[in-house]
Amino acid sequence: MNDPTTPRSVPRSTLRSTPRRATRRSVLRTLALAGVIAGTSLSTLNPTAVAADGAPETYALTIRHLDRAGAATSGYRTNVTGISGPGADASAAPYDESGTVTVRLPKGRYLLDSTLLGADPAAGTDWVVQPRLDLDRDTAVTVDARTTAPVNVRPQESGARYLHSMAFVEATHEGTTRSANIMMASDGLRVAHLGPAAESGSVKEWIDTYWSGERADYALGYTFTSDRALTGLVRNPAPAALATVKVRAADPSGAAGTGFVDITPSAGPTVGLVQPVAPLATATFLVTPERGRWDVGHAAPAAPETPPNRYSANGFAVRAGTTTTHTFDNAVFGPALDPAPGARPAGLRTGDTLALDIPLLADGEGHAPSAPRFHAATTTLHRDGVLVGTRNGAPGRAEFTTTPGRAAYKLTATATHGSGPTAGGRVTASWTFTSAAASRPAELPLSTVRFAPALTLDGTAPAGTLVRVPVTVGGAAARTGVRSLAVSMSTDGGTAWTKVPVVDGQAGFRTPGAGGTVSLRAELTDTAGNTLTQTQRNAFRTR
């Protein structure tokens, strides 16, 4: 595998808040997290925590820090973060070179974590976490490196090279969650729980380590829910206990340069793993099913001063001994709907406003691009045959203002795309439906058709062969039913069309000679009478 791009070492930090992870998280967001956790918080006092005389009700917290020899140490970083009670909004990062430091804080439940750094970096780092610190009197705490035990989470491949790791703890009390974490760019982490046990199930901890092997990279993660933080962890999973995830980087346009692939667990904060990948290459990862679902992504090569076009596949399940493959940036490019529950509709009417927001150039597996490569994009809206307006800009995104009464509408979105071998690609989707203003926002009855031929990573199919192209209906027609569906193909860029049979969800036809192109068209009517005419000119090539 290629050398990874790894974040710089951030030995410790506490996050003041704990937003739950969104369904879609890119590596850019992961790296932003790494930037956040490089900072520290200043102590703040909750102004409502006052005694009868009006003075803040505070207690002295004294923290003593000992190294692995049991001696006082100045090599530490400690954070104390309020969880509940009058001190819920208080935090402090106290320090004194003597190794013993005192800070006054309001009464309440706190999360304490401390990183102890020895004089020899090669000896590793100690991380001590106290998820339950009840400050209701003057209190003394001793953070002792001698209580820690190693984190030994590594693959069984003897030559695998450590890349980086992250440990993350959440502590919850009275409905509020606070967190602490440590990121490591060198091996040798030791961890320990400190203090009394918290309430059952109130402490959650993630530990993820990343390794580079000869034929695959490793993303090894484990999650624990308990009343305590971990004291040490040993996991050396056998190959049969791991799941294989392959990320294929297609290149139908013949682009130059190097892209990136990434993998992260879906749940909980993590640093993830990012690797460079050349076009037409495949990255292989071995991951732990125990970590739950996983996310992968691909950032295609981009020209200087051009934003990278990123794709992602999120929240997929894995199973030990099986292989999951995701192919990004391959033909056939076309409209796709977000299948996630609660996703924003592709078309929405709010009062007199009709808005379209649909990825018009999603790749062959339906992954939506963050920065689609296109030459021109136009969207038009007609009401009862009269042009309402035309919008130019991003493919599949437009907004129009119309009138409230019920009328027949035709909404058409077009984008031209492709370069090099795929020059001349053009996607058009045209929908007809009736609509009127309502008291609440209403989803427009839009449908899509996905064509998914088996193509190599350069976007081609064998010349002169009979192919079966899977055809999938999405959107309104998938929910309410299809009244009719006709599929046609063209081998001259869309000048002449030939209807092809669709049997068992597959369109069958013979591809043209080598160096030819195949265009595809779908004409669909749902059971409510709404229609879609979708055309994808020069959808793929032959070899």
Side-chain angles (χ1 to χ4, degrees):
M1 299 296 294
N2 293 316
D3 286 337
T5 55
T6 59
R8 65 184 179 88
S9 174
V10 182
R12 62 107 26 242
S13 173
T14 297
L15 298 182
R16 294 292 307 281
S17 60
T18 56
R20 295 295 180 182
R21 190 179 176 284
T23 302
R24 296 182 178 274
R25 177 183 58 192
S26 69
V27 166
L28 296 179
R29 182 174 172 187
T30 303
L31 295 180
L33 171 65
V36 170
I37 64 178
T40 57
S41 302
L42 297 178
S43 176
T44 59
L45 295 182
N46 186 338
T48 64
V50 294
D53 61 0
E57 181 186 0
T58 64
Y59 296 102
L61 173 62
T62 300
I63 310 169
R64 184 185 180 206
H65 301 85
L66 303 178
D67 63 19
R68 293 182 187 176
T73 178
S74 61
Y76 68 90
R77 284 193 284 269
T78 294
N79 254 29
V80 185
T81 305
I83 305 176
S84 62
D89 295 326
S91 66
Y95 181 81
D96 187 276
E97 191 173 1
S98 68
T100 298
V101 62
T102 298
V103 61
R104 297 196 68 87
L105 292 167
K107 177 181 179 180
R109 170 73 65 88
Y110 288 84
L111 165 67
L112 180 149
D113 78 294
S114 183
T115 301
L116 300 170
L117 306 170
D120 181 8
T125 300
D126 298 292
W127 192 44
V128 179
V129 177
Q130 181 167 348
R132 178 178 181 175
L133 173 57
D134 292 317
L135 191 62
D136 53 8
R137 61 179 66 86
D138 290 348
T139 302
V141 171
T142 298
V143 175
D144 191 341
R146 294 172 297 178
T147 65
T148 63
V151 172
N152 182 359
V153 178
R154 65 185 66 231
Q156 292 191 5
E157 181 182 341
S158 59
R161 180 168 54 90
Y162 173 88
L163 300 177
H164 51 264
S165 61
M166 182 173 184
F168 193 95
V169 173
E170 286 184 345
T172 300
H173 187 245
E174 295 183 351
T176 298
T177 299
R178 296 291 187 247
S179 62
N181 62 77
I182 184 168
M183 265 180 20
M184 298 288 295
S186 59
D187 202 2
L189 177 63
R190 297 171 62 93
V191 299
H193 169 87
L194 176 63
E199 292 74 18
S200 176
S202 66
V203 181
K204 190 168 184 178
E205 187 161 359
W206 296 267
I207 289 187
D208 300 320
T209 71
Y210 300 90
W211 302 76
S212 182
E214 183 178 358
R215 294 183 177 86
D217 292 328
Y218 297 85
L220 310 180
Y222 297 90
T223 303
F224 305 89
T225 300
S226 178
D227 57 2
R228 304 169 62 85
L230 290 174
T231 295
L233 178 65
V234 177
R235 294 289 189 277
N236 305 131
L242 301 175
T244 300
V245 178
K246 291 182 179 291
V247 181
R248 305 167 76 224
D251 185 27
S253 299
T258 299
F260 291 89
V261 297
D262 60 83
I263 188 164
T264 61
S266 300
T270 184
V271 68
L273 177 61
V274 185
Q275 294 283 45
V277 63
L280 310 182
T282 299
T284 301
F285 303 98
L286 296 177
V287 307
T288 45
E290 294 91 335
R291 190 58 167 85
R293 294 178 177 268
W294 291 81
D295 301 346
V296 294
H298 172 236
E305 308 301 324
T306 301
N309 187 20
R310 176 176 165 74
Y311 300 91
S312 62
N314 299 310
F316 59 88
V318 299
R319 187 161 52 90
T322 65
T323 298
T324 303
T325 301
H326 292 276
T327 301
F328 294 105
D329 206 25
N330 206 359
V332 170
F333 296 97
L337 300 175
D338 188 346
R344 175 180 171 85
L348 190 68
R349 176 160 189 168
T350 306
D352 293 343
T353 300
L354 270 69
L356 178 69
D357 187 1
I358 183 171
L360 204 60
L361 296 176
D363 70 9
E365 290 192 357
H367 307 118
S370 64
R373 295 183 292 267
F374 68 99
H375 305 302
T378 301
T379 304
T380 61
L381 180 68
H382 288 80
R383 181 184 188 275
D384 287 337
V386 178
L387 178 66
V388 175
T390 299
R391 304 288 184 266
N392 299 312
R397 299 188 66 183
E399 189 173 288
F400 302 91
T401 300
T402 182
T403 53
R406 179 168 292 276
Y409 287 90
K410 182 177 182 180
L411 180 62
T412 302
T414 299
T416 59
H417 65 94
S419 60
T422 61
R426 182 182 178 92
V427 175
T428 301
S430 184
W431 300 273
T432 67
F433 53 89
T434 59
S435 177
S439 59
R440 296 180 179 180
E443 181 177 355
L444 301 179
L446 307 183
S447 301
T448 61
V449 173
R450 297 291 303 166
F451 298 106
L455 305 176
T456 56
L457 291 180
D458 63 356
T460 64
T465 60
L466 183 63
V467 295
R468 303 287 182 186
V469 177
V471 180
T472 305
V473 174
R479 296 189 296 268
T480 63
V482 176
R483 179 184 299 172
S484 65
L485 172 63
V487 173
S488 304
M489 62 90 68
S490 171
T491 59
D492 60 5
T495 301
W497 293 92
T498 302
K499 284 191 175 181
V500 299
V502 179
V503 179
D504 295 330
Q506 295 184 323
F509 55 86
R510 188 170 295 278
T511 58
T517 64
V518 174
S519 300
L520 298 168
R521 183 173 67 192
E523 297 167 286
L524 178 147
T525 302
D526 68 18
T527 53
N530 308 299
T531 72
L532 162 71
T533 301
Q534 181 179 307
T535 305
Q536 289 154 269
R537 286 181 168 83
N538 296 336
F540 65 92
R541 299 175 292 116
T542 57
R543 62 183 186 279

